[in-house]
Amino acid sequence: MQINKHLSSLSLLSILFLLGMSSLFIGCSQYSTGRVSVGYHNLTAKFNAYVIARDKMREAELAMRRNHKDNYNLILPIFPPLDSVEAQPVNDLLVDVIKKASLIPDRHQNSRWVDNALIQIGKARLYKGQFTDGIETLRYVNAKGRDEEDKHEGLIWLMRAYTETKDYNSALSVSEYLRTQPLNDKNTSHFYLVKAYLHQQREEYPLALAILEETFPLLPKSEETARIHFAAGQMYDLLNKPQAANVHYKAVGKNRPSYDLSFFANMNALQNQAVLDPNVSTEGGFRRLLNDRKTSDLRDRLYYSMGVIETRKKNYPKAIGYFEESIRQTTVNTTQVPYTYLEMAKLYYEHLQDYELAKAYFDSSLTLLPPNSPQFLKIKERKEVLDEFVKQITTIRTEDSLQRLSQLNPAALDKFLDGVIEDEIEAQERKIKEAEKLVAQAQARSTNMQPFAGDPAERFVLYDMVVANQGKVEFRQKWGTRKLEDDWRRSSKVSNLVTQTDNITPVAPQSQSVNSIAMGDNMAKLTKGSPEWKAKKDALYRNIPLRKQELDASNQRIEDAYYKLGKIYKFSLEEPQNAVKTFEQTLTRFPNSNYKPELYYLLYLTTKTNPESWKERLLKEFPNSSYTRLLTKANGATTASGNIELEALKDYEKILTLYQNANYSEAYAQLEMAIVTYAGSKIEDKYALLRIYLLGKLQGREAYLKALNSFIKDYPTSPLLPRVREILESQQSTSVKKND
């Protein structure tokens, strides 16, 4: 009886225990709203998942900041771009962030940390380059989030994601919404920075700077703040405000910058000081920096800065010397070289008007600049213009020189051509001596190099500069200077070994002398009176226009070159004074030129002094030309007849035909007048759109994009507007793909 009572008591206790445990389990369900359940899941979600994910994210972000290398020659973005390649070394950390943070929405739905976890997941996906997934995660936070401050943080990161993917319209929409929300201090400063970053990426620098000026008081002293001050200084430089720029360059040093950041801020400040006070000498400070061992790997940048300062002081020969020294001081890091070449190209182009040398330095800069550089396309467009420009200049100079030679008597001409060949041989000998000097320097360097201490079989040959350069020299000994192309081993290739200067250090050849390498068998046979000498002189004779037919052809080439050169000045280089001078030279030298009506017309459009005189000549000498009809329409003859719309359409079709036939310069010249003539007509927007296409052909992508944006502002009700927007979006998406 007692045993039965005892068993009954145990059964009752077990049932009560099971009921208690069940109620506790049910009460702690992630779907329960009870205080015990919510408290349990808040505690577990925070310390078992969120804190771990947050700390791993901080570790990953710190590592990415340390590994990121800024190019101080370019405008620093306010935030380092989200680059999946740079995130590769911390990929495991980001995967752990996603795994840990995913536990919270999976197991702790009723906790207050769900929104925070989803933001960490969204950020990790953005860092990994998974923009679609990251954007969807952040949009979910905004749609389903429970905490307003967390939703604001998610929206700020969503705005950053849209900016990174060049979806600026969506980023602006998020920005407009956030602007109306009550943000806490942390979200306010982050929002301002992302908004400034958005406008910086859109190249709206004044707006970006205005936002940054309001943001700096909210930022703590840190290396990130120093970096943003540097970016602000660069943007002020771009807006030609050196005094405002120097305020921020000096602020860099007050915010715990890295050594490199501080160094480049000081260099930029010194360059601006030369503009603000040209009488201040900076050479003493530069000399101290050059003698400092800390700057031994930055001497190329020091000489570059000295060159920029002398350029701004208009001491151009001295500036060129410093730029050349910057190239010579280049060590392993060659990132400065293309920008030094670019500065030299600008100097020769803008200040010295030496277009041939400018072209050469633009070529060198373009060769070394990375294709995804923001300056790459602009330099490429300028190079293509200068290629055509130099081609015409060279044609004029060459034909003029050949015509002068044709006026010499036979004996004098024969003697002159002998001198040309002798000068060529002397030039080759000078190159040989220069090569020998470089070889001697290379030998001295190679004897001072530290040998590889490990197993030679373990050393990658391209890491050994001595071995690599030796291989290059041996290749040139055997094959000569060859372009990277198919069939480079063809025996018909001419070997010309010392015709280019590159960045390698020559190493002394082991089996062949420099003289025999450089000169080759052909140069060795060029002795006066030899068959080879006579053959070379005969080849020179064939270029000289000695007969009337040849002289006429030479003159036609000069006339064509002058005509094309003037149009390059007007439409591509936008230098009207030089264009007028060239057009007038063409008319003076070739009074019966076939281009005469067009030249009169172009001079009427271009000259600022008495343009009516050119108009009168055109009307008098060529009353029936198409250019004359354009001028009479401009005077209102067509308007008076009441057929302006019909005439506008006819002229549009003519200009369109010129465009379709790739006669872009002439089409643009006629279009320029037609836009004035038919202002206010029903097809004015069609003329404007055709002008956009012509600008793209003549002045490149930058002018094309600028014209597209102008069309949107100038013709907001045009039926062509959707087409223009489509083109603009297509261009922007293409740019994104290239950057990716």
Side-chain angles (χ1 to χ4, degrees):
M1 190 70 176
Q2 288 180 348
I3 293 173
N4 290 335
K5 287 182 180 180
H6 183 65
L7 289 173
S8 298
S9 299
L10 286 175
S11 299
L12 183 60
L13 287 172
S14 298
I15 291 169
L16 291 173
F17 176 76
L18 289 173
L19 288 172
M21 290 299 295
S22 298
S23 63
L24 180 63
F25 177 76
I26 293 170
C28 289
S29 167
Q30 64 172 321
Y31 303 106
S32 172
T33 57
R35 293 178 62 183
V36 174
S37 175
V38 171
Y40 167 77
H41 284 285
N42 277 339
L43 187 69
T44 308
K46 180 177 180 180
F47 292 105
N48 285 3
Y50 174 72
V51 170
I52 298 172
R54 181 199 63 192
D55 290 346
K56 286 184 178 292
M57 176 62 78
R58 288 176 178 173
E59 184 181 350
E61 289 176 332
L62 180 61
M64 284 188 285
R65 280 199 298 271
R66 286 176 177 171
N67 294 334
H68 178 74
K69 300 296 182 185
D70 282 312
N71 186 343
Y72 296 100
N73 290 291
L74 304 176
I75 293 181
L76 295 192
I78 292 169
F79 294 108
L82 300 178
D83 188 344
S84 59
V85 176
E86 289 191 356
Q88 200 62 41
V90 297
N91 184 64
D92 291 344
L93 284 171
L94 295 175
V95 170
D96 285 345
V97 169
I98 294 172
K99 286 181 179 178
K100 278 295 179 183
S102 296
L103 294 174
I104 298 175
D106 186 45
R107 301 181 184 179
H108 308 287
Q109 279 283 344
N110 60 346
S111 79
R112 63 182 295 269
W113 299 101
V114 174
D115 296 344
N116 306 81
L118 290 172
I119 292 171
Q120 295 295 326
I121 294 170
K123 288 168 59 178
R125 295 203 181 282
L126 294 180
Y127 283 129
K128 286 167 64 66
Q130 299 169 354
F131 288 103
T132 302
D133 293 340
I135 287 171
E136 285 302 315
T137 303
L138 294 168
R139 289 175 64 184
Y140 182 85
V141 173
N142 180 54
K144 302 295 184 180
R146 295 191 290 265
D147 184 273
E148 288 299 316
E149 291 184 357
D150 292 339
K151 290 170 69 174
H152 294 158
E153 183 183 357
L155 281 173
I156 294 168
W157 272 98
L158 181 62
M159 181 176 159
R160 169 87 181 273
Y162 283 139
T163 303
E164 293 288 350
T165 56
K166 312 295 183 187
D167 187 357
Y168 298 133
N169 290 332
S170 297
L172 286 170
S173 297
V174 176
S175 170
E176 285 302 306
Y177 172 76
L178 284 170
R179 192 170 60 86
T180 64
Q181 300 301 304
L183 305 179
N184 62 24
D185 291 344
K186 179 182 175 182
N187 284 340
T188 297
S189 61
H190 191 200
F191 167 64
Y192 283 163
L193 287 177
V194 175
K195 185 167 175 57
Y197 179 58
L198 165 62
H199 292 294
Q200 184 194 40
Q201 293 301 297
R202 287 167 58 90
E203 298 183 1
E204 298 168 346
Y205 299 121
L207 194 51
L209 286 165
I211 296 169
L212 285 180
E213 293 292 0
E214 297 296 323
T215 311
F216 282 123
L218 305 176
L219 301 178
K221 287 187 176 182
S222 65
E223 187 174 338
E224 288 75 22
T225 303
R227 186 179 178 281
I228 297 169
H229 273 294
F230 186 87
Q234 289 180 306
M235 286 188 280
Y236 274 121
D237 275 340
L238 195 67
L239 298 175
N240 197 26
K241 295 182 177 179
Q243 192 164 5
N246 274 9
V247 170
H248 289 282
Y249 289 139
K250 290 177 182 177
V252 169
K254 301 175 183 178
N255 283 275
R256 305 170 189 167
S258 64
Y259 181 82
D260 280 359
L261 186 60
S262 176
F263 173 84
F264 283 99
N266 289 333
M267 290 300 98
N268 289 2
L270 285 171
Q271 291 171 28
N272 285 338
Q273 193 61 39
V275 176
L276 297 170
D277 190 356
N279 296 321
V280 173
S281 175
T282 57
E283 287 195 10
F286 276 112
R287 293 301 170 193
R288 285 193 295 273
L289 288 170
L290 287 169
N291 294 327
D292 189 345
R293 286 183 298 176
K294 292 181 181 178
T295 62
S296 59
D297 60 335
L298 295 169
R299 286 178 182 168
D300 55 343
R301 176 67 193 202
L302 284 167
Y303 280 109
Y304 167 83
S305 297
M306 294 166 76
V308 171
I309 289 172
E310 295 304 325
T311 300
R312 293 180 176 179
K313 291 181 177 180
K314 300 183 179 180
N315 297 329
Y316 302 129
K318 199 171 184 179
I320 291 170
Y322 283 137
F323 288 138
E324 290 174 346
E325 186 61 30
S326 173
I327 300 297
R328 284 192 289 270
Q329 290 290 335
T330 300
T331 55
V332 177
N333 186 357
T334 61
T335 55
Q336 179 59 46
V337 173
Y339 301 98
T340 305
Y341 282 144
L342 179 58
E343 201 65 33
M344 294 179 79
K346 290 178 180 177
L347 190 157
Y348 280 113
Y349 177 77
E350 296 172 1
H351 303 294
L352 301 180
Q353 281 78 50
D354 188 335
Y355 297 110
E356 291 92 335
L357 271 176
K359 172 192 174 302
Y361 282 111
F362 275 126
D363 286 346
S364 299
S365 179
L366 194 65
T367 301
L368 298 172
L369 269 178
N372 61 349
S373 169
Q375 294 171 296
F376 186 86
L377 288 176
K378 187 174 181 180
I379 296 171
K380 185 178 179 182
E381 291 163 5
R382 177 56 58 87
K383 173 196 171 297
E384 289 170 353
V385 170
L386 287 178
D387 283 347
E388 186 63 23
F389 180 92
V390 170
K391 178 182 175 183
Q392 307 310 325
I393 284 283
T394 303
T395 299
I396 293 170
R397 290 176 179 172
T398 302
E399 296 299 333
D400 279 341
S401 298
L402 292 173
Q403 288 188 21
R404 284 194 295 270
L405 290 178
S406 69
Q407 304 301 315
L408 297 176
N409 63 60
L413 180 57
D414 191 73
K415 183 179 179 181
F416 178 84
L417 295 181
D418 283 336
V420 170
I421 300 173
E422 289 167 357
D423 289 343
E424 185 178 343
I425 294 173
E426 288 179 8
Q428 288 289 344
E429 290 174 348
R430 282 196 302 272
K431 290 178 181 178
I432 291 168
K433 290 178 182 178
E434 291 172 4
E436 288 174 339
K437 183 179 178 181
L438 290 172
V439 167
Q441 292 173 352
Q443 287 175 325
R445 287 196 193 106
S446 62
T447 56
N448 295 327
M449 284 188 177
Q450 293 293 331
F452 180 59
D455 183 355
E458 295 178 358
R459 184 178 180 107
F460 182 43
V461 64
L462 295 183
Y463 292 162
D464 190 330
M465 294 307 296
V466 176
V467 176
N469 288 343
Q470 179 68 51
K472 291 179 181 180
V473 171
E474 290 175 358
F475 176 88
R476 292 188 177 195
Q477 290 174 9
K478 184 173 182 180
W479 300 106
T481 300
R482 297 294 173 93
K483 289 174 63 177
L484 184 60
E485 60 183 359
D486 293 337
D487 301 324
W488 60 268
R489 289 192 291 182
R490 288 201 307 270
S491 60
S492 60
K493 292 274 188 180
V494 178
S495 180
N496 187 9
L497 299 179
V498 193
T499 58
Q500 298 180 358
T501 302
D502 52 26
N503 290 325
I504 69 165
T505 302
V507 178
Q510 297 176 341
S511 60
Q512 194 172 357
S513 69
V514 176
N515 285 340
S516 61
I517 297 171
M519 296 291 289
D521 294 336
N522 291 336
M523 292 301 295
K525 293 177 182 178
L526 274 178
T527 57
K528 199 166 185 178
S530 67
E532 290 78 15
W533 187 285
K534 185 177 183 303
K536 192 168 186 64
K537 188 189 290 188
D538 289 342
L540 294 174
Y541 263 116
R542 286 193 291 272
N543 292 323
I544 301 172
L546 298 172
R547 293 183 289 272
K548 183 180 184 305
Q549 184 179 1
E550 294 171 346
L551 188 61
D552 290 342
S554 175
N555 279 325
Q556 186 60 55
R557 286 192 288 271
I558 295 174
E559 181 184 345
D560 292 342
Y562 267 117
Y563 165 75
K564 292 175 182 176
L565 191 63
K567 294 182 99 172
I568 292 171
Y569 272 130
K570 176 169 176 58
F571 297 114
S572 299
L573 299 180
E574 298 182 352
E575 297 180 12
Q577 290 181 341
N578 284 330
V580 168
K581 182 180 177 181
T582 307
F583 292 146
E584 290 177 343
Q585 283 178 328
T586 310
L587 291 170
T588 301
R589 185 162 180 179
F590 304 99
N592 298 319
S593 171
N594 293 327
Y595 301 117
K596 204 169 186 180
E598 184 178 357
L599 291 174
Y600 282 166
Y601 178 73
L602 291 172
L603 282 165
Y604 169 73
L605 293 178
T606 311
T607 187
K608 293 183 179 179
T609 57
N610 195 17
E612 293 298 319
S613 65
W614 296 109
K615 174 183 170 183
E616 290 170 5
R617 291 190 194 185
L618 179 58
L619 295 173
K620 182 179 179 180
E621 297 179 32
F622 305 97
N624 299 319
S625 76
S626 59
Y627 300 102
T628 304
R629 288 195 295 274
L630 280 173
L631 286 178
T632 56
K633 288 168 188 172
N635 284 339
T638 307
T639 307
S641 69
N643 295 323
I644 187 169
E645 297 297 340
L646 181 60
E647 292 295 329
L649 185 58
K650 286 181 180 178
D651 280 349
Y652 176 81
E653 290 172 353
K654 289 177 184 177
I655 297 170
L656 182 61
T657 301
L658 289 172
Y659 171 80
Q660 291 169 342
N661 293 333
N663 197 346
Y664 304 126
S665 296
E666 185 172 348
Y668 188 82
Q670 294 192 24
L671 182 68
E672 192 177 54
M673 177 59 79
I675 286 177
V676 176
T677 304
Y678 302 119
S681 71
K682 293 180 180 178
I683 62 168
E684 182 183 356
D685 56 343
K686 294 182 72 174
Y687 274 109
L689 183 57
L690 182 55
R691 181 177 180 274
I692 292 172
Y693 294 143
L694 286 166
L695 282 172
K697 296 294 184 182
L698 291 169
Q699 297 181 22
R701 187 171 184 272
E702 187 175 349
Y704 181 61
L705 293 175
K706 186 177 179 180
L708 285 169
N709 283 298
S710 297
F711 185 98
I712 294 172
K713 295 176 184 177
D714 296 338
Y715 300 96
T717 60
S718 169
L720 300 174
L721 192 61
R723 172 61 179 156
V724 172
R725 290 188 185 278
E726 182 183 341
I727 295 171
L728 188 59
E729 290 173 3
S730 173
Q731 289 292 321
Q732 290 174 344
S733 64
T734 302
S735 177
V736 172
K737 290 178 182 177
K738 286 181 179 178
N739 292 334
D740 290 344

